[in-house]
Amino acid sequence: SQTIHQWPATLVQPVGSPLSLECTVEGTSNPNLYWYRQAAGRGLQLLFYSVGIGQISSEVPQNLSASRPQDRQFILSSKKLLLSDSGFYLCACHRGTNYGYTFGSGTRLTVV
Amino acid sequence: GDSVTQMEGPVTLSEEAFLTINCTYTATGYPSLFWYVQYPGEGLQLLLKATKADDKGSNKGFEATYRKETTSFHLEKGSVQVSDSAVYFCALSNQFYFGTGTSLTVIP
């Protein structure tokens, strides 16, 4: 079965600082990978998805970026964080039509 | 386009009460349908699924039936427990389509 490792679990960063969140997947090859953000008390907002190495699609224009340097590695970055970047970030892998998603345990980012 | 509409929350119930969380969808073709649960501070976990019309998904006492005629996939549980307190998301198999989530709090 697929497992997603996501770290760190919590992060407090000052405004204007850079960001790097990492996600790795075990138990599958060539997965579709996703970054979602969840603001407090809100639903999921899709930020980026990737269907393969170096292939990134952005759903929401913002100061975040994503990269996929390896098949099972997905990275979310920012050069300069904003207060509005605070939230709960989830990495996910889509397992196919009949299986749905597997999610990582999330990173709680607070920008201060 | 495809979409999922989920019952607004928050929902607060007493222990052993009956739970229904409504979910309706719009989709081309015949997607699979899912319910995910998110416990406080955690990622989402798959709770149950149904892959075709009239299928009933079930897990941990929760059930949902894929109703093509009403395009619905309502989540039900006959007797909720405090440990069921979480946020519940309805989703289509077509990628990206999640409901907005329904927060459930069960009080003893």
Side-chain angles (χ1 to χ4, degrees):
Chain A
S1 64
Q2 298 170 353
T3 304
I4 293 187
H5 300 282
Q6 196 179 335
W7 66 93
T10 59
L11 191 59
V12 180
Q13 292 283 98
V15 169
S17 64
L19 172 73
S20 180
L21 301 181
E22 189 161 345
C23 166
T24 59
V25 182
E26 289 182 0
T28 186
S29 58
N30 197 29
N32 288 353
L33 298 175
Y34 306 80
W35 279 111
Y36 284 91
R37 178 169 60 200
Q38 186 179 27
R42 305 290 296 275
L44 297 173
Q45 178 187 34
L46 177 65
L47 301 176
F48 301 95
Y49 70 96
S50 171
V51 299
I53 295 173
Q55 300 179 64
I56 307 294
S57 296
S58 174
E59 291 296 304
V60 182
Q62 59 215 326
N63 70 320
L64 298 173
S65 62
S67 62
R68 187 165 175 179
Q70 299 180 42
D71 182 46
R72 286 174 278 184
Q73 184 184 28
F74 202 26
I75 298 171
L76 182 70
S77 304
S78 174
K79 292 182 179 178
K80 288 186 177 182
L81 285 169
L82 306 173
L83 286 174
S84 58
D85 292 324
S86 294
F88 191 52
Y89 289 82
L90 289 160
C91 180
C93 170
H94 194 257
R95 300 169 58 198
T97 300
N98 290 342
Y99 300 97
Y101 288 84
T102 297
F103 284 86
S105 54
T107 295
R108 173 76 57 195
L109 172 65
T110 304
V111 182
V112 296
Chain B
D2 293 3
S3 67
V4 176
T5 301
Q6 191 174 335
M7 173 177 159
E8 292 272 343
V11 174
T12 302
L13 295 173
S14 297
E15 206 165 23
E16 299 183 2
F18 184 85
L19 168 71
T20 300
I21 300 177
N22 290 338
C23 172
T24 56
Y25 68 91
T26 303
T28 53
Y30 302 99
S32 296
L33 301 172
F34 302 85
W35 277 101
Y36 292 86
V37 59
Q38 184 181 30
Y39 298 105
E42 298 183 10
L44 279 70
Q45 303 172 24
L46 179 64
L47 179 60
L48 55 83
K49 67 177 182 181
T51 58
K52 59 183 187 298
D54 300 325
D55 266 4
K56 178 185 284 187
S58 61
N59 186 24
K60 299 182 180 180
F62 291 88
E63 294 182 340
T65 301
Y66 189 158
R67 302 281 189 202
K68 195 172 75 169
E69 63 277 12
T70 54
T71 61
S72 65
F73 192 54
H74 305 322
L75 183 68
E76 297 181 335
K77 186 174 186 182
S79 176
V80 293
Q81 305 301 312
V82 172
S83 57
D84 294 326
S85 298
V87 180
Y88 293 83
F89 291 88
C90 183
L92 300 179
S93 57
N94 305 337
Q95 299 179 62
F96 322 136
Y97 296 104
F98 282 88
T100 53
T102 301
S103 175
L104 169 67
T105 300
V106 180
I107 54 178

